[in-house]
Amino acid sequence: MLDIEYDRLARLLLETGAITPGPEKWGKVRAYSSGLLHACGFNYPVGSGAQIESENGRYIGAEIVGFDAEMTMLAPFDQHIDISVDACVRPTSQAPMVAAGRTLLGRIIDPLGRPLDDNGPIRTDAQWPLMTKPANILNRGRITRPLDVGVQAINALLPVGCGQRLALIAGSGVGKTVLMRQLTAGTQADVIVVGLIGERAREVSDFVAASRETEIAHKTVIVAVPADHSPILRIRAAQRAAAVAEYFRSEGKNVLLVIDSLTRIAHAQREIGLAAGEPPTMKGYPPSAIALIPQLLERAGCDSATAGSITALYTVLADGDDLDDPIVDAARAIADGHIVLSRELAEQGVFPAIDVGKSVSRVAQDIIAKDHAVALQAFRSLWSRYTENRDLITMGAYRSGSDDLLDEAIARRPEQIQFLQQAVEVQISRENSVRKLVEDFGS
């Protein structure tokens, strides 16, 4: 907050002439390679903005992403550029800010904050840093309040708390996007911020159209960028969504932040990192792509000063259903819990296809009652025992009576599957979800 006030004071002093700015350094484009522009005489910090003059006289935005000897590397916002050698490069704000405020509610914007809907320009009177500076970790509040997400399986078996960070991990085609929409519609939050990053344009349009028809449209901000945009814009979209969520948290609001998907953000950083000369590591990801994940995830959480919170849901694509993928592993290690969707359950028509055994909420014991914890443990025990012996059961090699717990797991498997199933348009409160779990599986 002090940094924002300092920036405002500096701008006021410049406007009144009390202080004068130093000389502004301009540069020139010298080369273009692998999607990055190389400019000389443009010595500014990484992350600074720039504008590059094109052949037709318009200026194209860009961001400094690295250095190479005497050259500065810039990632342009527009991939279809008409920039030639010796094109002029001039700086923009060195501390990027995003427009924030209640006028964003109900609107759909692009990574640069421009409206994508037909509701006219967006006028805001507040700003927030695009990249928040690290705060004192002691100001981060504990997760002690349960959050109703409207999905019975998650409310009862994977309890979510206000300020929790969840990774929704799944392969392609197992209901990840549908569950994300279901959670967005059912979660009890003051403000919902959705970042649609690198998705197909059709999916972006479908989500926007569906969100306009729901009761949460008036409190939702959508930041969207399709897959055919430049990688730096895909990263900017995620950062803008997080910044907007942080602003509302600073106002004491309980915010739901949904980022779809974390994998495509990492892909964007991989494109930039490899083009900038970083060494590839596992699956071709450079170190900067892995480092970007905790930077994004750590922006969510509770704020003890304002009593606001950001509960974050990050979808993660497990390529080839590989749960040991570097991005999956990094997200799972940083998040406060993860939900894994099972292809096997999806093929059986079970939706949401949540694999209870592989999913976990790390804050569950801090936000649930004792009877809930007992029933939850009983459910997971039966689920785990059946999963461990599934091959023996399906081959007919198991003889009934050999293991009492396994006999019970086999007998109650249909009941467990039924407990997971829920239609997309149906919302089940946390109270009803917990009561059913305790009644059916409590001691």
Side-chain angles (χ1 to χ4, degrees):
M1 231 27 199
L2 290 176
D3 291 334
I4 299 174
E5 294 300 327
Y6 177 81
D7 290 340
R8 289 177 180 170
L9 177 60
R11 285 197 299 270
L12 179 62
L13 292 174
L14 286 170
E15 291 171 0
T16 58
I19 61 174
T20 57
E24 190 174 77
K25 293 175 289 186
W26 289 28
K28 288 187 176 182
V29 172
R30 288 299 186 220
Y32 176 74
S33 175
S34 303
L36 296 184
L37 290 161
H38 298 252
C40 66
F42 196 70
N43 301 324
Y44 289 93
V46 170
S48 299
Q51 287 188 322
I52 306 164
E53 188 176 12
S54 66
E55 285 292 292
N56 59 13
R58 71 186 182 102
Y59 280 89
I60 296 171
E63 182 179 312
I64 297 177
V65 296
F67 307 99
D68 181 11
E70 298 299 324
M71 295 293 180
T72 299
M73 291 180 283
L74 302 104
F77 294 161
D78 190 347
Q79 289 183 312
H80 309 288
I81 55 178
D82 50 353
I83 295 174
S84 61
V85 175
D86 288 339
C88 180
V89 184
R90 67 184 190 185
T92 57
S93 172
Q94 293 190 45
M97 308 289 288
V98 303
R102 298 194 61 81
T103 53
L104 285 176
L105 298 177
R107 302 301 301 269
I108 302 137
I109 59 178
D110 71 1
L112 302 178
R114 299 172 300 198
L116 294 174
D117 50 25
D118 300 324
N119 297 328
I122 301 174
R123 296 180 176 87
T124 60
D125 56 358
Q127 289 189 318
W128 193 264
L130 181 68
M131 288 298 298
T132 298
K133 295 181 179 179
N136 188 334
I137 59 173
L138 298 182
N139 293 334
R140 182 63 55 87
R142 295 181 63 240
I143 300 172
T144 57
R145 294 178 295 148
L147 180 67
D148 189 350
V149 299
V151 177
Q152 177 172 273
I154 298 177
N155 276 333
L157 303 174
L158 300 163
V160 178
C162 288
Q164 185 174 356
R165 301 160 302 174
L166 271 173
L168 177 56
I169 303 169
S172 57
V174 294
K176 179 173 74 278
T177 302
V178 174
L179 179 56
M180 181 194 75
R181 294 177 183 176
Q182 201 170 0
L183 289 169
T184 303
T187 300
Q188 301 300 309
D190 299 324
V191 176
I192 298 172
V193 181
V194 181
L196 302 176
I197 317 298
E199 296 293 336
R200 293 182 290 273
R202 176 190 59 79
E203 290 187 347
V204 173
S205 299
D206 289 347
F207 185 92
V208 169
S211 67
R212 283 176 168 172
E213 299 172 358
T214 64
E215 298 178 356
I216 63 170
H218 70 283
K219 61 178 182 180
T220 302
V221 183
I222 299 177
V223 184
V225 55
D228 61 346
H229 282 51
S230 69
I232 193 64
L233 281 185
R234 282 175 258 159
I235 297 172
R236 273 285 183 102
Q239 293 169 341
R240 180 173 288 270
V244 171
E246 286 174 333
Y247 169 79
F248 285 109
R249 179 178 62 184
S250 72
E251 296 289 308
K253 305 294 185 182
N254 293 319
V255 183
L256 173 66
L257 171 64
V258 180
I259 299 293
D260 183 25
S261 74
L262 197 63
T263 304
R264 289 187 168 86
I265 298 170
H267 288 176
Q269 185 59 44
R270 178 171 62 181
E271 291 180 44
I272 295 173
L274 294 178
E278 288 188 61
T281 56
M282 292 180 63
K283 288 200 172 182
Y285 288 105
S288 62
I290 306 298
L292 183 61
I293 293 174
Q295 292 175 13
L296 285 174
L297 267 63
E298 284 296 332
R299 299 181 72 166
C302 300
D303 187 346
S304 58
T306 65
S309 67
I310 298 176
T311 305
L313 174 67
Y314 305 90
T315 67
V316 185
L317 177 64
D319 292 325
D321 294 334
D322 181 12
L323 297 183
D324 293 323
D325 179 88
I327 303 304
V328 173
D329 195 49
R332 190 167 47 197
I334 298 296
D336 301 312
H338 53 272
I339 301 171
V340 178
L341 300 187
S342 165
R343 186 172 299 278
E344 180 183 354
L345 289 175
E347 290 171 349
Q348 296 172 13
V350 178
F351 293 100
I354 298 174
D355 190 326
V356 178
K358 294 180 180 177
S359 305
V360 66
S361 172
R362 296 180 181 174
V363 303
Q365 297 304 318
D366 297 328
I367 60 175
I368 63 177
K370 185 176 180 179
D371 59 340
H372 184 184
V374 171
L376 171 56
Q377 182 57 39
F379 188 104
R380 293 185 69 94
S381 179
L382 292 174
W383 184 279
S384 176
R385 184 57 63 94
Y386 182 91
T387 303
E388 290 171 358
N389 296 275
R390 179 170 46 233
D391 292 342
L392 289 175
I393 297 168
T394 55
M395 289 188 300
Y398 173 73
R399 295 182 61 182
S400 179
S402 302
D403 185 327
D404 292 341
L405 183 59
L406 182 53
D407 289 341
E408 184 182 0
I410 295 172
R412 305 197 68 176
R413 184 68 174 185
E415 187 180 351
Q416 288 188 310
I417 295 297
Q418 185 178 8
F419 188 88
L420 293 182
Q421 291 181 297
Q422 181 176 331
V424 176
E425 66 278 3
V426 175
Q427 296 180 14
I428 302 176
S429 70
R430 181 180 183 276
E431 181 182 358
N432 290 335
S433 303
V434 173
R435 181 170 62 246
K436 181 172 177 57
L437 178 70
V438 172
E439 290 175 353
D440 294 350
F441 295 92
S443 58

